[in-house]
Amino acid sequence: MPATLPTPIEFRLPEGWLPAGPDSPDAEHAAFVAVHPRPDAGFTATIAIDGERLPDGATPAHLADESVERLRELDVSVDVTDRREVGTAEAPALTQRLAFSAVVDGALRDLVQSQVYLFVSDVEDARKKAVIRLILTASVAQHDTALRDFQEFVRTVRPDTGAGV
């Protein structure tokens, strides 16, 4: 069952990317998943969105570490190849890139996951904080091309105030 986000957002998908159906295995724990139009050797790159209320005392690095541990719980060896805290004090963010191998459809695949953590205030109560996580998962061969689309996508993500654009 798809998850829900702790605060509404709006975004625009890169050209060609398609929303995955709610019954897609990729959508099981995400609020939204989009798939790349061209698989690479049987693996389809995805962009996923999930989020949660910000736990008390949680830091961006703590949340990023939790993502790494969740992958490791799947018996996956994960390397954090890059991590940066970005943004401002008012709008902090964190990016990280993970490299791992996983069995997908019976074949071992080398994958890369680029994650962006956006820390936002609730649109109805600014005292409540949330984190929105944007995740690109792609094969090593397809990552750089898909990353350009992902960066385009990230630039479009913003709180949905209901005012329309």
Side-chain angles (χ1 to χ4, degrees):
M1 163 173 272
T4 58
L5 294 175
T7 189
I9 62 170
E10 57 185 46
F11 56 87
R12 192 174 61 252
L13 284 176
E15 187 174 327
W17 287 75
L18 303 168
D23 296 332
S24 164
D26 296 319
E28 186 176 343
H29 299 291
F32 179 82
V33 176
V35 295
H36 193 274
R38 291 175 305 284
D40 172 48
F43 183 81
T44 302
T46 61
I47 293 174
I49 304 171
D50 68 14
E52 63 182 302
R53 292 262 176 242
L54 197 57
D56 289 338
T59 65
H62 173 80
L63 295 172
D65 287 342
E66 285 182 348
S67 289
V68 172
E69 290 309 312
R70 279 193 299 273
L71 275 175
R72 286 186 177 141
E73 287 172 3
L74 299 173
D75 201 25
V76 173
S77 176
V78 181
D79 291 321
V80 179
T81 60
D82 187 49
R83 181 182 287 177
R84 296 178 191 173
E85 290 195 37
V86 295
T88 64
E90 297 80 31
L94 181 138
T95 65
Q96 77 174 356
R97 183 171 299 169
L98 310 175
F100 60 100
S101 297
V103 176
V104 179
D105 293 332
L108 187 63
R109 309 264 186 203
D110 290 329
L111 304 175
V112 179
Q113 196 170 83
S114 291
Q115 302 177 341
V116 175
Y117 294 78
L118 304 174
F119 298 84
V120 297
S121 296
D122 187 285
V123 294
E124 295 177 7
D125 183 351
R127 295 171 301 183
K128 294 180 182 176
K129 304 294 182 194
V131 61
I132 304 296
R133 188 168 64 130
L134 313 171
I135 308 150
L136 167 68
T137 306
S139 67
V140 169
Q142 196 173 34
H143 183 264
D144 288 348
T145 301
L147 182 61
R148 287 190 292 276
D149 288 347
F150 183 62
Q151 290 167 332
E152 175 185 320
F153 162 75
V154 170
R155 284 190 290 275
T156 72
V157 176
R158 58 192 32 86
D160 183 355
T161 61
V165 181

